[in-house]
Amino acid sequence: MNSMEVCIHIPQSGSEVGLYQWYASAAVPAFEPIAGPVPLTLNPNEIQTLATAGRQSSYPVIGQKLFAALDQGAVGKQWGILRTQWAADLKTYLCVQNSALASLPWETLTDQVVPLVTEAPLLRCLQFPLPADPGAAPAWPLRIFVLNAAMPTDDGIAAGEEVWKIREALREAEHSVDLEVYETAGQPGFNVNKLAEALKVWPRGPHILHVIGHSVAGNDPALKLYVPPAAGPAEQGAYIDWTLAQIAVLMGNLPDLRLVYVNACRSNVTGGNPAAPLS
């Protein structure tokens, strides 16, 4: 076995947390309990207050508090052992079914000073047990659509550098890849319909959609898409919302889509609930 998959589960009660391990070789592959459940003590109002402060410096503190809530008893001990043993080969699913706790920014989970997402895959999931993976046949050439939705002069995002690194990584992969880079700033009169047309550069759409830009958190989360001005410098345009409903409709029209990678800063625009991650 070259990797390990576990799931941290917080039920609707929000009062406990359990750790489960994926057993792929079982007669019926499934997640089985390996630790807990143990009591969960976490005050969502405290996290909300920190997030509402709107300071980047509060994110590590939020992540540390969220991690401390999970790092308890048998669950914390066993998860720590697996993280040490498997390192980057440990995939952790986080299934939070309590609505108040689910809205917290779990992507900030931090062990002391190390964000967990920099160590190994950390994935949110909506249901437990997790649905079985239907698998997918290999597909070559791999079709990748990179959506650069940022303003050209936004140095904080460094979209150009990110696109360049994607090209470098693909050159080293030594596989057949079709790469399409779409920059909204270079599309006069850009709107969501034009994006839908662009994604059909392949009849069944891309296998991978990589999004670069900003997002808005809160009660009405959305990705932000930059629209250039009809005339004048490109930086004099404005952002429009790409809403969850619009995203859902568009993704449903891409039958070959397997992965969406979103690199969208969540602090650009504050929504009604700043703690709520876009995911």
Side-chain angles (χ1 to χ4, degrees), residues 148-160 213-214 226 235 239 265 268:
N148 178 2
M151 182 170 64
T153 56
D154 191 339
D155 295 332
I157 290 183
H214 284 293
Y226 184 74
E235 63 271 15
Y239 281 98
C265 169
N268 181 47

Side-chain angles (χ1 to χ4, degrees), residues 180-201:
E180 182 77 12
V181 178
Y182 185 87
E183 299 184 353
T184 64
Q187 305 296 324
F190 171 78
N191 56 37
V192 174
N193 290 334
K194 285 196 171 185
L195 174 59
E197 294 173 6
L199 282 162
K200 286 295 186 177
V201 64

